[in-house]
Amino acid sequence: KNQVEQSPQSLIILEGKNCTLQCNYTVSPFSNLRWYKQDTGRGPVSLTIMTFSENTKSNGRYTATLDADTKQSSLHITASQLSDSASYICVVSDRGGYSTLTFGKGTMLLVSP
Amino acid sequence: DTEVTQTPKHLVMGMTNKKSLKCEQHMGHRAMYWYKQKAKKPPELMFVYSYEKLSINESVPSRFSPECPNSSLLNLHLHALQPEDSALYLCASSQDRAGGWSYNEQFFGPGTRLTVL
């Protein structure tokens, strides 16, 4: 069964600090991995999307890494801002004819002043 | 236009009411999705439409009835809901469900917060 596990479940950091969120997956055959940011009560917004051959991808202060051998990904947030407070969801797509998405449960990040 | 819009933003309904959620996109996407998301849980897929035809129904109760009038619109008709159906309902679209990965990036709408009394 395809699964995506995220850690930590929640995280509190001070404004301006960096943090790293983790994602482990067992999805086969693997197609791509994406990180979404979801504000409370809002739809998810895509941050990065990586395929098998990509090791790292950046989007502003967000940098995602992917190790397809160990099936792990991380999302690093640099110089956090209060507006970064949200749930960060790791989503993995398989490579079937009709691809489906497997969602992680998300990491709830709170950036405090 | 790279946006998926959903209306209404909030909806409160009784268990005997009939209501509809609406979703619209003008990106030329041919696949549209409904998800249900409970608090602090990931979204759960409900329905997938591909080229205006229902291609996936994830064993959703019949009190939820999807409709795809055209390639830009997706509705979710609600009838005789239960309080446990209260959730955030998300609509998403992608260029297509089949084909290479670049065609299945899903763009999400802001959601409709549904409360069933």
Side-chain angles (χ1 to χ4, degrees), chain A residues 31 36 38 43 93 97-99 104, chain B residues 37 42 97-98 101 104-106 109-110:
Chain A
S31 175
Y36 283 92
Q38 185 175 22
S93 175
Y98 285 88
S99 301
Chain B
Q37 186 177 25
R97 288 208 76 241
W101 73 269
N104 72 356
E105 178 170 6
Q106 292 185 21

Side-chain angles (χ1 to χ4, degrees), chain B residues 13-32:
Chain B
M13 59 186 291
M15 291 189 285
T16 58
N17 291 157
K18 284 186 181 181
K19 297 286 185 183
S20 296
L21 309 185
K22 296 186 184 301
C23 174
E24 192 167 359
Q25 56 87 16
H26 295 286
M27 295 179 278
H29 289 172
R30 302 312 300 268
M32 297 185 77

Side-chain angles (χ1 to χ4, degrees), chain A residues 25 27-33 50-52 66 68 92-95:
Chain A
Y25 63 91
V27 174
S28 182
F30 174 83
S31 175
N32 61 80
L33 183 147
M50 290 183 290
T51 60
F52 185 89
L66 174 65
V92 181
S93 175
D94 67 30
R95 207 187 315 153

Side-chain angles (χ1 to χ4, degrees), chain B residues 27-94:
Chain B
M27 295 179 278
H29 289 172
R30 302 312 300 268
M32 297 185 77
Y33 311 74
W34 279 116
Y35 288 86
K36 173 183 177 180
Q37 186 177 25
K38 302 285 274 185
K40 299 183 181 180
K41 301 284 188 183
E44 296 175 1
L45 185 64
M46 299 173 72
F47 302 103
V48 181
Y49 272 83
S50 180
Y51 290 84
E52 294 127 68
K53 286 187 169 56
L54 183 64
S55 64
I56 292 181
N57 176 343
E58 293 286 355
S59 302
V60 179
S62 59
R63 58 185 184 269
F64 295 91
S65 175
E67 178 197 19
C68 190
N70 59 56
S71 60
S72 300
L73 294 174
L74 184 67
N75 298 323
L76 186 63
H77 302 298
L78 314 173
H79 175 53
L81 294 193
Q82 304 296 311
E84 59 264 28
D85 296 322
S86 299
L88 181 69
Y89 287 84
L90 294 166
C91 173
S93 71
S94 65

